Amino acid sequence: MSKKVLIIGAGGVGGVVTHKCAQHPEVFSEICLASRNEGKCQAIAAQLDRPIQTAQVDADNVDDLVRLIKDVQPDLLIHVALPYQDLTIMEACLRTGVPYLDTANYEHPDEAKFEYQEQWAFQERYQEKKLMATLGCGFDPGMTNIYCAWGQKNHFDEIHRIDILDANGGDHGYPFATNFNPEINIREITANGRYWEKGQWKETPPLSEKRVFDFPEIGPKDIYLLYHEELESLCQNIKGLERIRFWMTFSEKYLTHLKVLENVGMTSIEPVKFEDKEIIPIQFLKTILPDPASLGPRTKGKTNIGVILDGVKDGKRRKIYIYNICDHQECYKEVQSQAISYTTGVPATTGAMLMLEGIWEGNGVFNVEQLDPDPFMERIGPMGLPWQMVELDPEKDLLD
Ligand code: NDP
């Protein structure tokens, strides 16, 4: 059966998704990659062994998107441009009747706030149109949600506590650079920390909660509590949950640079007047920092992202750790991109595969933990992100 996929966004993640779709012609028989700048799509196309179509689109503009979708006639759209475009692309998919998949929840362009609410608001219209939208199918959100759903389905009667642990043990050799879109990355870190406990959100000042965690194949690292988007849906979808937190590693060096940039106003999203123009400091900063796509060939080391699930099975307490380790240099060899983009693009491609094959199906808007985790967990290893599961001592707290 001939299936055509339209990928929007030719950045780090878009490159990986395009490579991965191209590796699987049995599912993705035709591919079109579209972005703001068609030249970037052509550069990715030139890295592949099979021809793909490329196109230009302004994904902030629904009419332009509808024009492109009508022209390309895809069976599925994978959105890996920026979270600012989630609503326009979801709207265009609705108008044209094309299933949708993304990797990040909607972010307001002029407010440092990301949330699912406005995407969940499409629920009725997608249901009425008998159309499927899959939200947050990257690594975190994405793979981490699926680890939780798989744990819930196969290893627990109830999960009471979840800790999501995200470590990047990679080194790109620059004094300071962000691994994905700097604007999104910096906004995420400079916001208050937030976690969910017993039905309530609890806030902590930015980077105030710190622990040390010994990551397999990476070693002990400082981890900091952050608010992260998968908490918003997981706290609703995991039965019996009492607490969920998210932790990420940052080095001293990274945090010192960030503090200075913040103190001098460079991470602000408020426009300032510069000579005769208005500029937004964080956008200016983005233009002078290394392009995340350029970090690939320089980055060495590994990532380790996983979840600790703590709950009850057959009346006994049980704790498991499920994680993936990914090597930056191996990713670069395979798809010319570092592990951060790779670990996002591979789950997006795997989710798209399951949708196109009708294994993940439904009418409406879904977060990935609401879909069957088993076929995803079977495929994700061969697709490039093998996982491991370790039984932990339930009495031992590794994070408190
Ligand atoms: P990049 O900034 O590298 O790439 C974004 C791409 O989208 C660029 O090619 C950019 O074009 C294009 N784009 C931006 N605005 C528009 C527009 N209006 N119309 C058309 N194209 C546009 O980001 P990443 O590849 O790192 O990230 C892609 C997505 O993946 C983001 O939503 C990010 O939040 C998400 N992500 C999710 C993760 C997860 O684990 N769930 C982890 C990492 C990222 P141009 O090149 O012209 O700027």
Side-chain angles (χ1 to χ4, degrees):
M1 205 188 326
S2 165
K3 296 279 184 186
K4 186 164 191 180
V5 65
L6 170 60
I7 302 162
I8 298 195
V13 179
V16 175
V17 170
T18 311
H19 271 268
K20 281 288 173 185
C21 289
Q23 286 173 10
H24 292 277
E26 74 285 3
V27 181
F28 306 100
S29 47
E30 285 179 80
I31 300 167
C32 176
L33 173 62
S35 198
R36 185 160 50 190
N37 173 347
E38 193 178 350
K40 291 201 178 177
C41 304
Q42 288 159 346
I44 293 170
Q47 298 167 0
L48 307 173
D49 294 333
R50 55 183 269 224
I52 64 162
Q53 198 183 332
T54 60
Q56 197 279 330
V57 70
D58 175 7
D60 288 316
N61 181 321
V62 177
D63 292 336
D64 201 31
L65 285 161
V66 167
R67 169 203 58 81
L68 173 74
I69 296 172
K70 284 188 172 158
D71 191 32
V72 174
Q73 305 254 323
D75 297 289
L76 174 79
L77 186 150
I78 303 178
H79 160 34
V80 278
L82 295 178
Y84 312 124
Q85 284 98 40
D86 288 5
L87 305 184
T88 45
I89 300 180
M90 284 184 83
E91 180 64 39
C93 281
L94 247 184
R95 289 195 198 167
T96 50
V98 171
Y100 167 94
L101 178 141
D102 71 23
T103 65
N105 64 7
Y106 176 61
E107 178 142 349
H108 305 249
D110 23 73
E111 203 186 340
K113 186 175 169 197
F114 48 91
E115 58 185 3
Y116 279 120
Q117 200 175 303
E118 289 175 71
Q119 291 182 274
W120 287 339
F122 279 91
Q123 181 66 277
E124 265 181 33
R125 292 171 69 208
Y126 268 73
Q127 281 173 341
E128 271 164 24
K129 194 118 193 207
K130 300 200 186 322
L131 199 60
M132 183 175 188
T134 300
L135 308 184
C137 196
F139 206 107
D140 45 343
M143 198 66 252
T144 50
N145 305 52
I146 293 167
Y147 288 159
C148 295
W150 183 78
Q152 172 166 268
K153 182 174 173 187
N154 299 293
H155 297 284
F156 289 93
D157 297 325
E158 270 191 2
I159 296 174
H160 295 155
R161 291 176 168 211
I162 299 175
D163 281 294
I164 302 169
L165 300 155
D166 180 333
N168 181 5
D171 184 5
H172 44 60
Y174 285 118
F176 183 81
T178 61
N179 288 304
F180 60 95
N181 187 283
E183 213 177 323
I184 311 266
N185 196 188
I186 291 172
R187 279 192 191 198
E188 197 169 81
I189 301 163
T190 52
N192 271 348
R194 192 153 35 120
Y195 65 100
W196 185 90
E197 188 167 40
K198 297 199 163 69
Q200 288 191 336
W201 289 105
K202 306 213 164 155
E203 289 222 348
T204 55
L207 307 176
S208 58
E209 285 289 319
K210 178 184 170 188
R211 308 278 191 278
V212 175
F213 186 79
D214 194 359
F215 287 91
E217 293 191 37
I218 290 185
K221 289 268 172 200
D222 291 343
I223 53 171
Y224 295 85
L225 187 142
L226 290 188
Y227 176 65
H228 217 246
E229 55 198 88
E230 63 265 53
L231 305 188
E232 189 185 355
S233 65
L234 283 169
C235 74
Q236 298 192 15
N237 292 327
I238 300 294
K239 179 177 81 172
L241 191 65
E242 290 170 8
R243 186 183 73 190
I244 179 162
R245 303 180 296 190
F246 180 95
W247 305 86
M248 193 179 262
T249 58
F250 297 107
S251 67
E252 276 294 323
K253 191 167 87 174
Y254 184 87
L255 293 179
T256 308
H257 275 83
L258 195 64
K259 195 85 230 156
V260 173
L261 291 168
E262 201 184 350
N263 285 345
V264 299
M266 283 302 296
T267 60
S268 169
I269 59 168
E270 294 302 322
V272 292
K273 222 166 174 113
F274 176 69
E275 294 178 345
D276 290 338
K277 278 195 188 132
E278 281 220 321
I279 59 165
I280 296 175
I282 198 168
Q283 286 179 2
F284 174 71
L285 178 62
K286 182 185 169 197
T287 61
I288 55 173
L289 285 176
D291 177 358
S294 73
L295 301 179
R298 311 170 51 103
T299 307
K300 299 193 169 79
K302 291 175 180 171
T303 60
N304 176 330
I305 318 175
V307 299
I308 295 180
L309 308 176
D310 182 353
V312 175
K313 177 73 180 167
D314 300 330
K316 277 202 218 134
R317 191 150 164 228
R318 185 173 195 200
K319 205 188 239 189
I320 60 175
Y321 179 29
I322 312 168
Y323 61 89
N324 160 263
I325 292 171
C326 194
D327 186 298
H328 286 287
Q329 294 277 290
E330 293 297 318
C331 297
Y332 194 76
K333 257 190 253 157
E334 186 193 327
V335 298
Q336 300 184 38
S337 168
Q338 34 74 2
I340 307 295
S341 304
Y342 190 89
T343 52
T344 310
V346 173
T349 311
T350 307
M353 234 176 197
L354 294 177
M355 284 174 76
L356 282 176
E357 290 178 358
I359 297 171
W360 271 5
E361 57 172 355
N363 299 325
V365 176
F366 298 87
N367 287 93
V368 286
E369 69 271 21
Q370 296 173 296
L371 302 166
D372 187 358
D374 290 349
F376 197 99
M377 290 294 273
E378 277 162 27
R379 287 200 190 191
I380 194 76
M383 283 293 286
L385 297 175
W387 48 271
Q388 307 194 42
M389 183 179 115
V390 182
E391 202 76 39
L392 299 178
D393 177 354
E395 298 308 324
K396 216 165 151 186
D397 202 331
L398 301 173
L399 289 166
D400 279 318

